Amino acid sequence: MCGIIGYVGTRDVVPVIIGGLRKLEYRGYDSAGIAVVDDSGVEIVRAEGKLTNLEAKLNDKPLSGSFGMGHTRWATHGKPNENNAHPHRDCNGKVVVIHNGIIENFLPLKQDLQAKGHEFKTETDTEVVAHLIEEKMKDGTDFTEAVRKTLKELEGHYALVMIDGSAPGTIIAAKSGPPLVVGLGENENIIASDVAPLLAYTRNIIYLEDGEYVIANQQQVQVFDGNDRPVDRAPKRITWDAVMAEKEGYRHYMLKEIHEQPRAVRDTFTGRMFEESGEVFFNDLQLTAEEWAKIKKVHVIACGTSWHAGLVGKFLLEDAARIPIEVDYGSEYRYRNPIVDESTLVIGVTQSGETADTIAGMQEAKAKGAKLITICNVIGAAATRMADGVIYTNAGPEIGVASTKAFTTQLTAFFLLSLYIRQLRGENRDDIRYAMHEMRVIPHKIEDILKKQEKHIEALAHKYYKANDFLFLGRGVHYPIALEGALKLKEISYIHAEGYPAGEMKHGPIALIDENLPVVSVATHTPVYDKVVSNLQEVKARDGKLIVICDEHDEAMKKFADDVIEIPWTIEPLQPILTVVPMQLLAYYVALRRGCDVDQPRNLAKSVTVE
Ligand code: F6R
């Protein structure tokens, strides 16, 4: 995800910004840029690729000043090239903007501004903000007021930093979604995506809340709420060291990434589903209704956690498409001589986009004439280069080896794809709109689980961490979640764990059940709820310890199970995004209690590029 930094003070701004962007590199990016205001106005330098490319350009064209901003871009709208790299400016080159997130209504705003004569130079959604501010200033409105008016017109989610070259010394930054923090220094103030770049200058930090904006100059910082009322917020004193700062204070990347899921899921659906029209739109994937009508079957290829996402995807897509869907391990696919032709749609699901087994399967399918798409998290990765279409999961870099936010964003991508297919099949728009509404509120529901259940799950981990084996059960869309729960636990805690469809337990695994076996099951209200309850009765009758992930206020389940983890209700196709979160937390806290290396479990690599 993009990295943002803005500085106003007495130091030479270029090393401050480049140093800050280095600290934000872990967020992942494909291009970078810097804007510095000096006596001659605003100077901008941008470069595709890594920060070293930007530094090389700055060596050729040195900039200096004590006021400016810098950005590392993770492309969403427009190709990852120099022209689309931030900062972006208005027609006069004075109003300069950097941005993390997505301006959902950028298209109508852009069309309106173009009609008023504004010339756009990039494909980004961000540029619209600079022109909108410029437009507001035409009647003499000052920069601050113009920004205020502009913010009221923006939809979507964003962290923005804005400056006006003709009003040097003032930075305005706004937050609606992505993080933004302000560091208060002596005669200097600094704004960034997180605290890591600030710690070299100050430990007094203000965290902006959604809807707020800040006006900063060298001497002072004023925070305002969405109604332009001043907010009195005392700074927090941060005592983190540099490594802790990169983890935003979390003990492990895995825990940080579990907590990032509301944001990551939101970033994956934002700008792609439009409730008003009931339409789904993908930038990098276009299928016409005629092309879709020629597709007779779908093959999903993936490994590990991504394969589990594929299994959930099968439920969603089969229901939407009413054609056969197969899900294969990458390592199995090409060696079984799959039946593939031009009427086959193949979906490679891969966080890294570099997994050798998945790539090999995708190559095999392509060679046989399939239409190939990928659900991938890494821009420009091998999988995206070979595919005809891409749905990027905008999870941001995943550093913990155990995949968490990549998984829930893959589920989000599959859900959107299922709505897209419904749209291509001409299904009822009201049903699609309702599904979109449910998707939109999922991030809040994940937050709810994290807020209400984390401590409880930590306590459960302390109760069960000594077990030698765990069984995970689920039915329907929750069967893959049982597999994922078992995989998470075994890979980071080294406890043997198996996932099973609950109805299959009686055909073998039931022999394992005794008073020492914790059985983790999903039993939310789906059409198979009663069947799952019957399966759980079988566990109970054999003294197994039942930990059940169930709907809130399921009083009967609370009486029946040894422990319950309650989650908010949502529609069935979206439930896996919620039910997996307690599984991730359980695995994390069990591993922690057992003293395991959570972020780098033994024998595992983040990206498996060998067969
Ligand atoms: C498990 C995990 C792995 C990966 C698998 C595929 O937590 O991370 O099972 O899911 O190696 O990796 P990608 O998705 O990068 O192809």
Side-chain angles (χ1 to χ4, degrees), residues 353-537:
E354 304 288 349
T355 301
D357 290 326
T358 305
I359 298 290
M362 289 171 71
Q363 271 159 348
E364 172 82 6
K366 198 174 168 94
K368 289 185 160 165
K371 182 160 181 73
L372 186 63
I373 67 175
T374 182
I375 295 176
C376 183
N377 194 39
V378 178
I379 292 184
T384 69
R385 295 196 300 273
M386 63 196 288
D388 302 308
V390 184
I391 304 176
Y392 282 108
T393 48
N394 296 329
E398 193 177 62
I399 294 168
V401 164
S403 195
T404 52
K405 62 177 180 171
F407 180 68
T408 42
T409 55
Q410 287 166 348
L411 299 185
T412 304
F414 269 119
F415 183 75
L416 292 178
L417 185 59
S418 72
L419 298 186
Y420 189 59
I421 291 171
R422 288 184 193 282
Q423 171 183 319
L424 292 174
R425 283 168 48 95
E427 282 194 20
N428 185 314
R429 284 290 157 98
D430 285 341
D431 294 345
I432 297 178
R433 280 192 198 102
Y434 174 65
M436 286 177 177
H437 170 75
E438 288 303 318
M439 176 82 257
R440 195 167 290 284
V441 292
I442 282 292
H444 300 294
K445 294 183 178 178
I446 303 175
E447 272 159 19
D448 204 58
I449 295 171
L450 294 169
K451 213 180 293 158
K452 292 189 185 152
Q453 300 296 337
E454 185 166 2
K455 281 268 157 288
H456 171 53
I457 294 171
E458 187 176 3
L460 291 182
H462 290 192
K463 182 169 166 188
Y464 292 109
Y465 77 101
K466 285 189 181 149
N468 292 323
D469 309 275
F470 270 71
L471 188 60
F472 286 76
L473 301 176
R475 286 184 93 130
V477 280
H478 297 302
Y479 158 52
I481 299 306
L483 294 177
E484 176 61 7
L487 177 65
K488 284 290 89 88
L489 187 72
K490 73 183 120 188
E491 67 182 333
I492 61 170
S493 75
Y494 317 140
I495 295 176
H496 168 243
E498 290 194 45
Y500 260 89
E504 184 65 15
M505 184 185 63
K506 57 188 173 295
H507 298 287
I510 199 165
L512 296 171
I513 294 173
D514 63 16
E515 69 283 4
N516 297 316
L517 187 77
V519 178
V520 181
S521 176
V522 180
T524 50
H525 280 93
T526 65
V528 289
Y529 175 79
D530 291 338
K531 308 269 175 220
V532 177
V533 172
S534 306
N535 301 139
L536 299 186
Q537 303 271 15

Side-chain angles (χ1 to χ4, degrees), residues 303-306 349-352 355 401-403 410 487-488 491 608:
C303 302
T305 288
S306 297
V349 189
T350 166
Q351 185 283 130
S352 61
T355 301
V401 164
S403 195
Q410 287 166 348
L487 177 65
K488 284 290 89 88
E491 67 182 333
V608 187

Side-chain angles (χ1 to χ4, degrees), residues 10-241:
T10 51
R11 297 171 205 260
D12 184 7
V13 74
V14 175
V16 174
I17 287 177
I18 296 294
L21 292 179
R22 283 236 171 280
K23 296 263 186 261
L24 296 172
E25 270 191 306
Y26 77 91
R27 299 168 72 86
Y29 64 103
D30 46 61
S31 56
I34 182 167
V36 174
V37 185
D38 61 16
D39 297 340
S40 56
V42 188
E43 295 283 351
I44 292 180
V45 176
R46 303 176 299 172
E48 192 175 326
K50 292 292 159 196
L51 275 177
T52 42
N53 299 350
L54 180 65
E55 285 176 300
K57 283 192 153 194
L58 285 166
N59 282 341
D60 294 342
K61 183 188 176 189
L63 299 182
S64 77
S66 53
F67 173 56
M69 55 164 80
H71 188 266
T72 46
R73 175 172 188 248
W74 170 289
T76 55
H77 289 68
K79 293 190 180 55
N81 57 26
E82 181 178 330
N83 190 48
N84 289 329
H86 301 209
H88 295 297
R89 42 180 149 191
D90 66 346
C91 299
N92 300 321
K94 285 189 177 153
V95 176
V96 183
V97 176
I98 53 178
H99 166 218
N100 174 17
I102 294 167
I103 309 292
E104 279 184 54
N105 60 338
F106 87 99
L107 209 54
L109 290 173
K110 183 171 176 175
Q111 285 160 351
D112 188 43
L113 287 160
Q114 280 171 325
K116 290 178 175 144
H118 289 258
E119 275 184 33
F120 283 76
K121 298 187 182 69
T122 75
E123 301 165 298
T124 66
D125 51 340
T126 307
E127 194 184 349
V128 85
V129 180
H131 290 277
L132 210 50
I133 298 170
E134 177 193 14
E135 183 61 28
K136 312 267 175 239
M137 289 172 76
K138 275 188 180 160
D139 62 3
T141 302
D142 71 12
F143 173 58
T144 305
E145 201 44 41
V147 169
R148 286 191 168 124
K149 288 183 177 166
T150 296
L151 292 177
K152 295 198 171 48
E153 287 184 31
L154 301 181
E155 287 168 22
H157 64 135
Y158 48 78
L160 285 165
V161 178
M162 297 151 282
I163 61 176
D164 174 14
S166 49
T170 301
I171 300 186
I172 307 184
K175 168 176 161 46
S176 177
L180 212 49
V181 292
V182 187
L184 312 181
E186 288 268 323
N187 276 331
E188 61 183 351
N189 290 303
I190 179 162
I191 295 166
S193 299
D194 67 41
V195 295
L198 311 187
L199 293 182
Y201 309 100
T202 179
R203 291 188 167 266
N204 296 329
I205 309 287
I206 292 180
Y207 286 83
L208 289 193
E209 301 290 343
D210 283 347
E212 291 179 347
Y213 63 94
V214 62
I215 303 178
N217 59 34
Q218 199 177 312
Q219 263 76 39
Q220 64 166 353
V221 159
Q222 284 175 288
V223 179
F224 295 88
D225 68 14
N227 295 318
D228 306 320
R229 286 178 305 224
V231 174
D232 192 13
R233 174 148 327 124
K236 283 202 168 102
R237 178 109 191 124
I238 301 289
T239 52
W240 304 343
D241 61 28

